[in-house]
Amino acid sequence: MNLKLGVDVAGAHNLLPKDGHGSSSAFVELHFDGQKYRTTVKEKDLDPVWDESFYFNISDPSVLPNLTLDAFVYNNVKGANSRSFLGKVSITGTSFVPYSDAVVLHYPLEKRGIFSRVRGELGLKVYITDNPSIKSSDPFVNMARNHETNPKSAQEPVKKSETRHTFHHLPHATQAPANTAVPAAPPPIMRYGYEQIKPNPPPQPPKLVRMYSDSSSQPVDYALKETSPYLGGGRVVGGRVIRTDKASSTYDLVEKMHFLFVRVVKARDLPSMDITGSLDPYVEVRIGNYKGVTKHIEKNQNPMWNVVFAFSRERMQATVLEVVVKDKDLVKDDFVGLVRFDLNEVPLRVPPDSPLAPQWYRLEDKKGDRIKSELMLAVWIGTQADEAFPDAWHSDAATPVDSSGAASALIRSKVYQAPRLWYVRVNVVEAQDLVPTDKTRFPDTYVKAHIGNQVMKTKTVQARSLNPLWNEDLLFVAAEPFEDHLILTVEDRVGPGKDEILGRVIIPLNMVEKRADDRIIHSRWFNLEKPVVVDVDQLKKDKFSMRIHLRICLDGGYHVLDESTHYSSDLRPTAKQLWKPTIGVLELGILNAVGLHPMKIRDGRGTSDTYCVAKYGHKWVRTRTIVDNLCPKYNEQYTWEVFDTATVLTVGVFDNSQFGDKGSNTKDLKVGKVRIRISTLEAGRIYTHSYPLLVLNPNGVKKMGEVHLAIRFSCTNFVNMLYTYSRPLLPKMHYVRPFSVMQLDMLRHQAVQIVAARFSRAEPPLLKEVVEYMSDVDSHLWSMRRSKANFFRLVMIFTPVFAVSKWFGDICMWRNPITTVLVHVLYIMLVCFPELILPTVFLYMFLIGIWNFRYRPRYPPHMNTKISQAEGVHPDELDEEFDTFPTSRNPDLVRMRYDRLRSVAGRIQTVVGDIATQGERMQSLLSWRDPRATAIFVTCCLVAAVVLYVTPFQAIAGLVGLYMMRHPRFRHRLPSVPVNFFRRLPARTDSML
């Protein structure tokens, strides 16, 4: 594959004048991988525009992340055959993206040395392409020669291809194939060859460590438990792996499971079975009481299936595998032939061993005699690391009586890539030459825009002309690939509830300009078309058509929020050029679940068909569904790249209701979820814990079981990881042009709906209720329980302040004379030597931090019922929390809840009012609202200034401190004079209605 680096030099802005006449003749020189190209010279222009494209050959794609593109801006000095430096831009290889993701970025020009002076920006579009129709530019000078050689003539830029380039491969950004996990650096692979499978050591009882603090204690059954399982790399003890005698496999965070794989490829020369001479063959793979069936192919004696069946080895109760070919019939299926395999003779294969090639096997009839027909098969024993594992039909994902395999698409594991989301900004400026239906009045117009299900309107303008002006921004969310168009209609409000469409324009989002910063987008005029059939003669009479003035862009400098802001798993902007290098790799092993609560009734007993979903960044994963099992074993491992430690991994467990007795219209039920913040994990440590699955329902909090996870965060760049702590949490555009809280809530809701719609069309689908539950879509809704929980969280924050205040009160009241005397001595020392105050404070915090190191958490945080106020919550408050929005309860109950909400809101209103009153009294000290109080305060300030000027600061501080800690016999119960004075100051409460 011949990769090329494309560079579009758009233009520069606000360059430094260098020709002595207030201008510059600028050109750009590009350096990359030993090649150098140059643009044309723009004479006397401080804002030059080139729009020239160049293409570099990439000699070695494996070192692409280590290469740098340098763009130097020079001023051409005529006559002297020389140039002067105007600035440079350096772009590292980790910022190169495919052509489809590239946008023009305006980079600020950098200095070449300490004493150089530069200003301005350079607009570049940098991308990678493998389009064979694009030829590399001809370098006018090799980089191995003199670096400063000035060419006699610049090469003509290569004309940009009109084809959209598709990027297929990048060495530094390879993606894992579906349902497989790719670690950052694969450890040595364990090779088994064809030897006998050795069972794992006998499972020892896991060491359960109850972990909960006194401040947030909860029932022991709800606590986190640390385990010591035997994984692929060895036994995990205290977060470290005790290696076995063999090297660890790629799947070292899960228990190794063995499966019997049967690949049924095709058959040939099958006999005709019906009277008509036709044959509808299918294959039935049987071992013990488990069997898998392929689909039948009508009237074909040389059919092809190419399907894989996987049978869990621990569930096998037979030693013979039978592969039977049958003929589909209306009454009874006819036997065609079979092939038998002794499991003791089946070879063992573990990647990276080469896949086992299928072979032709002669079929046997019922008597055991060979017949002419043949079946191509491959039979081997492997693990979940096998390439065939994700797409195989699994015996542990089907009941023993299930022989159809029709629901295999709904129970298969899957890796989903969330669509890349963009903010669509539509600035509606104005319209011209509107043609209203009623010619006797000026229209009251507004613009309605919608993309898919998103609809927004501008304000209604009561214009006195046919050219209304709005200048209003409308914001939408769109996902790649852009399936919906932007549709804008100009409507006239004829009367109450009656609107008429004056014109409409449809704009494909593929044609909208992308930007990654806040540069100005050029506006465009669009012709408005009548949405209804009009008279052709009338159109000929109309000299001008209606037009609308718009600025439209896809904002890629923002991070599109599609999940709760408290549990964000990704903080990167949409534009890939702005992505920072990865700082680590997150590996998750979903081991098993135990003690699950039955979610359905089958054959008169409770059971569950569960699967797990893990979400981090753009990558969602789903394990296979384990059918009819309350203690399922998944043992699937997945990997993510980490860009920021302030992100959260979410793992949820769901019951699959899309097949079986309940039909396909039932929603998948939530069993519970776990959140793990990456910043709370130590690098290199393996966390093996059993997490309680706690769910809040209208009957209260309930434990639905436990899910067993193994987690490891590996840091690949320690310096970059430390640097992330100094960077803003969100991309730059969130601070340059921030959105309001209302806008963010609306856009987040739309983003979740778009992601849910895309995933629901996948195979197998990830349903809307699953996406909403994983994204915490309802976390912003009102809840009395959440309000109490947040209030008590606030109280816990101020508890140390209250404790210090109480301790100081005891000092002032001389409850412990010895301690009080010691505090007096320490206070006098700090007053006499004030330079020791700050060092003492920082040293004290250092000692506290060192002391707390021994009590540091050794486990990730998990759900806590006490902090959530979920243990003693009132049933009516729970019913209110699970009520629909808008409410579906009867009016009397809603009235009672409304009165209760009014009482709670009244108390909050009083507290907020008291805080505002204290602030307004502070302002009244100098505002002369109370002339006497202000005169007293100003006089006291003058006296205090004179006293503080002539009196040493140590004396003043010492006297004030000793006065505050004076003995109780010198105290009065009445408030002090300053407090009385402050409380008498006026506030704006007198002006409130």
Side-chain angles (χ1 to χ4, degrees), residues 428-435 442-447 458-471 490-491 502 525 528 547-549:
V428 184
V429 184
E430 59 181 332
Q432 283 187 356
D433 305 324
L434 296 181
V435 182
F442 289 108
D444 296 338
T445 55
Y446 65 91
V447 177
T458 65
K459 60 181 181 295
T460 302
V461 174
Q462 297 177 348
R464 294 303 172 203
S465 68
L466 299 177
N467 304 318
L469 176 67
W470 293 280
N471 195 23
V490 180
E491 302 188 14
L502 301 181
W525 286 95
L528 293 170
R547 301 193 304 169
I548 187 170
H549 194 193

Side-chain angles (χ1 to χ4, degrees), residues 89 234 390 402 457 468 578 611 666 821 833 908:
V89 171
D402 179 22
K457 298 179 181 179
L578 302 179
Y611 64 92
T666 307
V821 170
F833 304 98
I908 298 175

Side-chain angles (χ1 to χ4, degrees), residues 251 321 324 570 585 611 843:
Y251 280 55
L321 168 70
V324 184
D570 191 9
V585 174
Y611 64 92
L843 181 62

